[in-house]
């Protein structure tokens, strides 16, 4: 059985004519420490490509672990991507057999989705974000 990286948040930014996809994963090496933590330890991986699928595929080469999307809690779009349309990215996610359709959607203004994926922790309250339950 191969090791997995549990993806908690996915950020999608429009950069030039490409997508920049950022995956926030739980850092398993920090989970075993016995010290109390305020935030869940996470790592953010990010890649650019012409499609979301291609970017995620490139991301799998950065980690020795399989990106496991079943526990995805947040999908974050930058404003440019949201204005362009979120139908294509959501269609891709809903067709993936691993992704459960019970995540929160958020659009960030004046910042990147990558920046938001770096900031938000899975254990923090969604009240900090304007979230729409899908």
């Amino acid at each position: 059985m191969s090791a997995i990286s549990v993806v908690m948040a996915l950020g999608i930014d429009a950069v030039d004519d490409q997508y920049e996809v950022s995956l926030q994963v739980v850092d398993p090496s920090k989970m075993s420490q016995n010290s109390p933590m305020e935030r869940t330890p996470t790592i953010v991986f990010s890649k650019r490509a012409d499609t979301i699928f291609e970017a995620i595929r490139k991301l799998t080469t950065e980690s020795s672990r399989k990106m496991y999307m079943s526990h995805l809690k947040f999908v974050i779009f930058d404003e440019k991507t949201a204005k362009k349309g979120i139908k294509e990215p959501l269609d891709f996610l809903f067709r993936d057999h691993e992704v459960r359709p019970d995540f929160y959607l958020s659009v960030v203004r004046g910042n990147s989705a990558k920046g938001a994926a770096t900031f938000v922790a899975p254990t923090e309250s969604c009240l900090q974000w304007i979230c729409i339950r899908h």
Side-chain angles (χ1 to χ4, degrees):
M1 186 162 146
S2 64
I4 61 171
S5 288
V6 178
V7 177
M8 300 303 288
L10 181 145
I12 301 173
D13 291 296
V15 179
D16 300 323
D17 290 336
Q18 294 186 314
Y19 289 107
E20 181 172 16
V21 175
S22 303
L23 298 178
Q24 180 201 69
V25 300
V26 175
D27 183 355
S29 67
K30 303 269 185 294
M31 293 299 286
S32 62
Q33 294 178 352
N34 291 332
S35 60
M37 290 179 275
E38 292 179 16
R39 296 178 61 142
T40 304
T42 59
I43 302 170
V44 176
F45 296 97
S46 186
K47 283 288 184 196
R48 289 185 191 174
D50 291 333
T51 66
I52 294 168
F53 174 76
E54 186 181 350
I56 291 173
R57 193 168 180 162
K58 285 181 177 182
L59 283 166
T60 61
T61 64
E62 277 194 20
S63 175
S64 60
R65 299 169 179 267
K66 180 189 180 309
M67 298 294 179
Y68 186 66
M69 305 272 278
S70 289
H71 294 290
L72 183 67
K73 296 294 178 203
F74 295 97
V75 175
I76 307 162
F77 298 97
D78 71 330
E79 191 173 6
K80 185 176 177 184
T81 304
K83 286 181 178 178
K84 182 178 168 184
I86 62 173
K87 180 181 176 187
E88 181 183 321
L90 289 179
D91 182 60
F92 168 76
L93 290 173
F94 291 146
R95 290 177 188 267
D96 187 318
H97 70 282
E98 275 188 2
V99 177
R100 297 178 190 159
D102 64 346
F103 47 78
Y104 293 97
L105 294 178
S106 183
V107 176
V108 293
R109 271 189 161 162
N111 202 344
S112 66
K114 179 181 179 179
T118 303
F119 172 75
V120 70
T123 58
E124 290 177 0
S125 169
C126 191
L127 295 176
Q128 295 176 5
W129 299 86
I130 299 173
C131 295
I132 301 170
R133 182 76 171 174
H134 179 81

